Each structure stands twice: as structure tokens, then as C-alpha cells.
Amino acid sequence: MKKNLISMLFIVVAIGLGVVSWFFLPDVVAVQVGIDGKITNTMPKVLAIAIPLGVSIVGSAMNLTGKETNKKGYILSVVGIAILIVSLFFN
């Protein structure tokens, strides 16, 4: 029961961050920055939101479908959420 609640919370947070990202990120998102501080790689906003959102939802789904707690699922969920947060701060 507790693992389901945590996984559902991760899904809600990821979707919420995805919606916030949609409104606040520019049309072209910087995804890599070089040592000198210049942008070295960009991505369209749709992909920059969809990829970490998908990673987070897949990680949570791994925990919801499995009978036992899967640390990999939690790690994937947290990594997806962290990527969304970092992209909001740096763009």
C-alpha cells in the first residue's frame, strides 16, 4: 500500500512539473552546457519535457506493477523529476 502511494505521488509530481515546464520553458531548450558556459546542445520543448516525464512514469509503473519494491523504479522516478527541475532552473 505504501509503495503504491509513493509511486502515485511521484507520477503526480512528474505530471505537475511537466505542465509547469510546458508554460515556462522556451520553444528550444538547452540540454547541454559546455565548460565555458556556452550552450552546446538544444532540444525542442516537447522532447525536453516528454523524455524525463516518460522516464519518471516508467519508473513509477515498475513499482506499481511489481509485487515487491523495486529500487530501480524509485531511482528512475526521482531522476526524471530531477531532470525536469534542473531544466526549469537552467532555462
Side-chain angles (χ1 to χ4, degrees):
M1 178 69 183
K2 186 176 179 181
K3 74 172 184 151
N4 289 343
L5 184 64
I6 293 170
S7 296
M8 294 295 260
L9 180 67
F10 281 152
I11 290 173
V12 169
V13 169
I15 291 173
L17 282 170
V19 170
V20 169
S21 296
W22 182 259
F23 290 109
F24 286 110
L25 288 177
D27 290 335
V28 178
V29 178
V31 291
Q32 289 181 343
V33 179
I35 295 173
D36 56 355
K38 294 182 181 179
I39 297 171
T40 58
N41 198 0
T42 60
M43 184 180 291
K45 177 171 46 174
V46 174
L47 287 177
I49 295 171
I51 292 172
L53 183 62
V55 167
S56 186
I57 290 175
V58 166
S60 294
M62 287 172 57
N63 286 333
L64 289 173
T65 58
K67 292 184 179 181
E68 57 188 45
T69 303
N70 190 353
K71 291 181 184 179
K72 293 177 187 176
Y74 286 130
I75 292 170
L76 281 176
S77 295
V78 171
V79 165
I81 290 170
I83 291 171
L84 285 168
I85 291 171
V86 168
S87 67
L88 276 171
F89 279 121
F90 285 110
N91 287 289

